[in-house]
Amino acid sequence: AKASLALAIARIFPPGTTIRRFALGMAWSFGLVGIGLLLGMAISCGRDTSWHDSPEVQCDIPNVLIAAAFCATLISDALLIFTPLRMLWWMKLPGEQRRLILAGFAASVWMSVAGGICFIFMFGPDSWGLPRKVIPPLLGHAMASISLMVCNSMVIVTYVYRLVQSDK
């Protein structure tokens, strides 16, 4: 979802501009970090088979991977929030482009809020018991839903923007 948001930002600007290259670089780096985290979790859950017989059927992700995912999320959210803000403040853009970038900013904030709530429960103390085990997967589904809506809305909004621009 974060790569899709970065690509939506890149679509606004013409090829060869610095901001477009930066947004494309963000998309690539988000994808590579995501693949690395997924690979780390797959290896960890593949080696530890104790969760196979557990009634929850959920692999305990090592704290190192949770911390790495948290740091990656923090950095990517900061980039996705401050990049559009920087564009709004320091560039003279037409009103339509400004609104499009503001939509990207709002989408990034929604993603950050959902991720933050999920990490609170993932890093929560063991004394929270069952909610600490049950809520993160549920929030993961909510985050996936929000991501899907955000990604689709950004693609549709940029497509409509390009159609409107080509008619002018």
Side-chain angles (χ1 to χ4, degrees):
K2 293 174 193 287
S4 180
L5 285 173
L7 290 172
I9 291 171
R11 290 179 67 177
I12 298 170
F13 298 98
T17 59
T18 305
I19 292 177
R20 183 180 176 111
R21 285 193 306 265
F22 179 74
L24 290 173
M26 280 194 313
W28 272 102
S29 63
F30 296 162
L32 291 175
V33 167
I35 289 169
L37 289 171
L38 185 63
L39 187 62
M41 289 179 198
I43 290 170
S44 172
C45 291
R47 286 185 179 161
D48 176 22
T49 59
S50 64
W51 61 276
H52 290 190
D53 300 324
S54 148
E56 292 121 17
V57 189
Q58 179 182 346
C59 172
D60 283 330
I61 299 169
N63 285 338
V64 171
L65 283 174
I66 293 173
F70 179 71
C71 291
T73 300
L74 220 65
I75 292 168
S76 63
D77 285 348
L79 285 170
L80 285 172
I81 288 172
F82 292 119
T83 300
L85 284 179
R86 183 190 181 281
M87 286 188 262
L88 285 174
W89 281 327
W90 292 335
M91 296 180 71
K92 293 183 181 185
L93 298 171
E96 296 91 13
Q97 249 182 343
R98 290 181 76 79
R99 282 190 289 276
L100 188 59
I101 291 172
L102 194 57
F105 168 73
S108 300
V109 170
W110 275 110
M111 295 286 296
S112 298
V113 168
I117 292 170
C118 189
F119 279 114
I120 287 172
F121 281 97
M122 288 177 89
F123 280 123
D126 289 334
S127 63
W128 287 0
L130 189 60
R132 184 173 182 263
K133 294 278 190 187
V134 173
I135 291 177
L138 294 176
L139 286 174
H141 292 297
M143 284 175 57
S145 300
I146 291 170
S147 298
L148 185 63
M149 289 186 287
V150 165
C151 291
N152 287 332
S153 67
M154 288 306 294
V155 170
I156 291 168
V157 167
T158 54
Y159 177 72
V160 169
Y161 173 76
R162 289 207 182 255
L163 283 178
V164 169
Q165 287 301 98
S166 66
D167 289 343
K168 288 184 179 181

